[in-house]
């Protein structure tokens, strides 16, 4: 493939990604940035956590993206009585064959929506750990690969709501991105209720891609160039969270890897074949904020992970600044 063909192929992939976002926007109004981050997670092979109060469109966002992407979608409504085997699958004895047979769990799909994940018990929550990290599940000593692509979109209510269990740090660290929906503006909310007069807006969403195009876009994102200086910038930003006096637990190397991958996808969504420091800065808080634990003093001082990360970006030298044409 020559350079002209590569450039055309890249622009066609970018066009498909933008169509995916635009189709999702038919249902989720006024959340372009959140939809773009969701697409970034899908195209980088990552998982995303959506946290906010009930009724702001978390489940609708996940459902709309899955339908627009044309992928196999399953939804798990997490409640205290949901068992780990419901998610991973289980073996059942067949009297006719006198053998145990594997019955697939909900995780056998391309996009799994874990709705209100923090209402399930910690044991059930942990059932997703292997699937999210290794794209497989192990049942009774036998491993079963998950379909590709595979993505977990989890929603949760803020901690402190009745009947919620806080997600452990090990599981939070497996979500590349965490976003908040936020309330719509008055005009946006009026548009939302107007669009729902007698119809379900999800019915208007059509599949604008398929599994082959998604895999092609994923391969394109994986090939986005990340300069060595930008890699060092990513590592420096993440390592600064481990030194900050307001942070009791800093971000792990997994955060650095997630930050690079999401930055690649963000650059792709903006039609660039390379990652800039601005791409890294644009997604830094979404990738790292949920991975750090503040000291008690910082919490009492009303500091937030976002404010600390903003301060880290402010005092960390940006590569290439002052050296561009």
């Amino acid at each position: 493939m020559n350079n002209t063909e590569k450039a055309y192929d890249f622009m066609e992939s970018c066009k498909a990604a933008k169509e995916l976002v635009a189709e999702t926007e038919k249902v989720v109004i006024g959340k372009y940035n959140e939809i773009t981050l969701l697409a970034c997670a899908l195209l980088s092979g990552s998982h995303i956590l959506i946290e906010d109060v009930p009724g702001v469109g978390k489940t609708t966002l996940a459902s709309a993206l899955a339908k627009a992407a044309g992928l196999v979608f399953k939804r798990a409504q997490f409640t205290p009585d949901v068992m780990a085997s419901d998610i991973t699958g289980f073996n059942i004895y067949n009297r006719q064959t006198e053998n145990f047979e594997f019955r697939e769990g909900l995780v056998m799909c391309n996009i799994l929506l874990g709705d209100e994940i923090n209402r399930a018990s910690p044991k059930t929550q942990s059932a997703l750990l292997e699937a999210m990290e290794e794209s497989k599940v192990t049942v009774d000593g036998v491993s079963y690969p998950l379909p590709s692509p595979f993505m977990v979109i989890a929603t949760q209510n803020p901690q402190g709501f009745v009947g919620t269990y806080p997600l452990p740090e090990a599981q939070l660290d497996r979500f590349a991105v965490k976003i908040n929906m936020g309330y719509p503006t008055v005009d946006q909310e009026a548009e939302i209720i107007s669009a729902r007069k007698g119809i379900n807006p999800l019915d208007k969403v059509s599949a604008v891609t398929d599994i082959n195009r998604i895999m092609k876009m994923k391969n394109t994102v994986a090939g986005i160039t990340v300069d060595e200086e930008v890699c060092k910038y990513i590592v420096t930003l993440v390592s600064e969270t481990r030194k900050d006096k307001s942070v009791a637990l800093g971000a792990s190397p997994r955060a650095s890897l997630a930050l690079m991958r999401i930055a690649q996808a963000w650059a792709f969504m903006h039609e660039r074949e390379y990652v800039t420091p601005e791409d890294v800065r644009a997604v830094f808080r979404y990738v790292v904020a949920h991975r750090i634990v503040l000291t008690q003093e910082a919490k009492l001082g009303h500091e937030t992970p976002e404010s600390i990360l903003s301060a880290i970006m402010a005092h960390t030298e940006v590569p290439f600044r002052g050296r561009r044409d």
Side-chain angles (χ1 to χ4, degrees):
M1 186 181 292
N2 58 40
N3 290 337
T4 302
E5 291 173 331
K6 286 182 179 178
Y8 176 79
D9 201 49
F10 179 79
M11 293 309 298
E12 281 295 300
S13 292
C14 290
K15 180 182 177 182
K18 288 184 178 295
E19 288 174 352
L20 177 62
V21 171
E23 192 70 14
T24 307
E25 275 193 297
K26 288 182 179 180
V27 178
V28 186
I29 298 168
K31 300 297 178 183
Y32 175 81
N33 193 59
E34 288 75 13
I35 296 170
T36 302
L37 284 166
L38 199 62
C40 285
L42 173 63
L43 299 180
S44 63
S46 306
H47 311 288
I48 188 166
L49 179 64
I50 309 174
E51 180 184 83
D52 220 315
V53 296
V56 292
K58 302 187 295 294
T59 302
T60 302
L61 172 59
S63 302
L65 180 90
K67 189 173 182 181
L71 299 176
V72 178
F73 171 70
K74 292 183 181 179
R75 174 180 176 180
Q77 185 66 51
F78 281 82
T79 55
D81 60 343
V82 172
M83 297 186 294
S85 59
D86 296 327
I87 307 301
T88 61
F90 55 91
N91 287 316
I92 188 170
Y93 185 71
N94 187 325
R95 288 179 176 273
Q96 294 179 338
T97 63
E98 297 185 350
N99 288 312
F100 282 93
E101 296 177 352
F102 177 66
R103 299 293 173 87
E104 293 183 352
L106 291 170
V107 79
M108 290 294 178
C109 61
N110 296 124
I111 297 181
L112 174 66
L113 170 60
D115 214 0
E116 295 187 307
I117 189 173
N118 60 338
R119 290 195 180 278
S121 68
K123 181 179 180 180
T124 303
Q125 291 176 12
S126 66
L128 284 172
L129 292 178
E130 182 184 22
M132 294 172 69
E133 185 67 16
E134 302 174 36
S135 293
K136 66 182 178 69
V137 292
T138 302
V139 179
D140 295 338
V142 179
S143 294
Y144 301 91
L146 302 182
S148 185
F150 174 70
M151 176 190 189
V152 173
I153 303 174
T155 71
Q156 71 170 12
N157 296 323
Q159 290 183 23
F161 271 57
V162 175
T164 60
Y165 301 84
L167 295 181
E169 285 77 11
Q171 186 157 5
L172 281 173
D173 203 34
R174 282 167 170 76
F175 288 102
V177 178
K178 178 184 174 185
I179 61 174
N180 299 89
M181 295 294 290
Y183 289 112
T185 64
V186 172
D187 291 339
Q188 289 170 350
E189 191 165 349
E191 187 176 352
I192 289 169
I193 64 173
S194 177
R196 282 163 171 74
K197 291 179 180 177
I199 61 170
N200 183 352
L202 278 172
D203 294 338
K204 299 187 295 183
V205 177
S206 303
V208 294
T209 67
D210 54 33
I211 190 167
N212 292 327
R213 295 182 77 187
I214 293 292
M215 292 304 296
K216 187 176 181 180
M217 285 188 277
K218 278 192 66 179
N219 292 334
T220 301
V221 167
I224 297 290
T225 301
V226 187
D227 188 87
E228 285 299 318
E229 288 292 320
V230 175
C231 283
K232 290 180 182 177
Y233 182 56
I234 289 171
V235 173
T236 300
L237 286 173
V238 173
S239 63
E240 284 296 311
T241 66
R242 306 165 199 159
K243 304 173 185 175
D244 195 289
K245 60 180 178 60
S246 297
V247 178
L249 178 65
S252 69
R254 186 186 281 129
S256 298
L257 183 59
L259 183 55
M260 182 192 72
R261 288 175 175 169
I262 297 299
Q264 285 178 300
W266 187 265
F268 169 74
M269 295 299 294
H270 292 81
E271 301 183 2
R272 284 192 300 277
E273 297 184 72
Y274 56 90
V275 174
T276 68
E278 286 72 24
D279 295 323
V280 176
R281 294 169 66 86
V283 300
F284 179 54
R285 285 181 287 264
Y286 298 106
V287 174
V288 179
H290 62 286
R291 303 172 189 269
I292 63 176
V293 178
L294 304 189
T295 62
Q296 195 61 35
E297 291 78 10
K299 293 176 183 177
L300 292 173
H302 302 292
E303 292 187 74
T304 64
E306 289 78 11
S307 65
I308 290 169
L309 296 179
S310 294
I312 287 174
M313 283 196 292
H315 71 243
T316 302
E317 183 180 356
V318 180
F320 313 124
R321 180 164 288 177
R323 291 189 279 149
R324 298 181 183 178
D325 295 334

